[in-house]
Amino acid sequence: MSNNFEDALQRQEIPQFFRGKGPYFTRDPDWGDHMFSINWTDIFLYVRDHAEGEQQLRESFELYVHSLEETLDDGFSLRENLFGYYATRLRLAPDGPDWLAELSPLCRRRIVQHLTWYRWQLETQWQLYPNRGQRMREAGCPPEFLDLKSSPYH
């Protein structure tokens, strides 16, 4: 029986798999967005059951990393994939090798560049939002556009 990772390998849809797009989307019951960490269970099971699994994982993850663009969605998916990998590794293979630490130097550099860009975007927006809100208030903006809930779920 195949899992989502195997299906993505066979269909040559690795970037879509790591982004949780199309048939690789698994809805988080609490938030409604994609559960990135669930894919990592499939990957660990695949690596365990296939002699060439570790190499396929590294090649697949590098393909995904090299497909990333400087968008908030891609920055988020990269961060969540790294979180999912390390959380799953801690649970399923705490004494095993760190496969992502064995990625090529070029790939590791791209990961750092993308995470740095993503962090910069988030921090810039976090600092800019209150300033823009205050200036909008002073310019007569209706309070309903400014006095927003911190979560859409409240």
Side-chain angles (χ1 to χ4, degrees):
M1 187 168 136
S2 67
N3 66 34
N4 273 344
F5 184 60
E6 272 184 282
D7 293 344
L9 286 170
Q10 291 170 358
R11 295 177 186 151
Q12 297 182 346
E13 295 177 339
I14 291 301
Q16 296 91 322
F17 170 80
F18 281 110
R19 285 181 174 96
K21 301 295 181 191
Y24 311 110
F25 178 83
T26 303
R27 184 175 306 282
D28 182 314
D30 295 325
W31 301 102
D33 54 357
H34 176 61
M35 288 178 56
F36 288 89
S37 60
I38 202 157
N39 282 344
W40 285 98
T41 300
D42 284 352
I43 293 169
F44 274 77
L45 294 174
Y46 179 85
V47 169
R48 180 195 69 194
D49 296 340
H50 293 83
E52 71 288 353
E54 288 182 31
Q55 182 63 29
Q56 286 180 308
L57 165 58
R58 283 192 295 275
E59 289 172 2
S60 297
F61 200 75
E62 288 201 19
L63 177 67
Y64 159 69
V65 167
H66 289 290
S67 76
L68 293 172
E69 298 177 10
E70 287 186 342
T71 66
L72 291 175
D73 284 344
D74 275 358
F76 180 78
S77 83
L78 176 60
R79 186 196 67 194
E80 291 302 301
N81 270 297
L82 292 172
F83 172 78
Y85 167 76
Y86 283 102
T88 304
R89 179 176 177 263
L90 183 63
R91 191 173 36 109
L92 296 181
D95 300 323
D98 183 349
W99 301 315
L100 296 188
E102 298 171 2
L103 295 171
S104 73
L106 175 62
C107 184
R108 292 166 60 92
R109 190 166 38 256
R110 284 186 59 88
I111 290 171
V112 170
Q113 288 170 341
H114 279 282
L115 290 176
T116 301
W117 179 88
Y118 180 66
R119 180 179 176 177
W120 179 80
Q121 290 294 317
L122 293 179
E123 288 176 353
T124 300
Q125 294 305 317
W126 179 255
Q127 293 168 0
L128 185 61
Y129 193 83
N131 176 275
R132 287 287 191 258
Q134 180 59 35
R135 290 179 69 188
M136 289 166 58
R137 188 179 311 281
E138 291 168 0
C141 182
E144 67 187 292
F145 295 162
L146 300 169
D147 300 331
L148 305 173
K149 300 174 185 173
S150 62
S151 169
Y153 303 105
H154 290 106

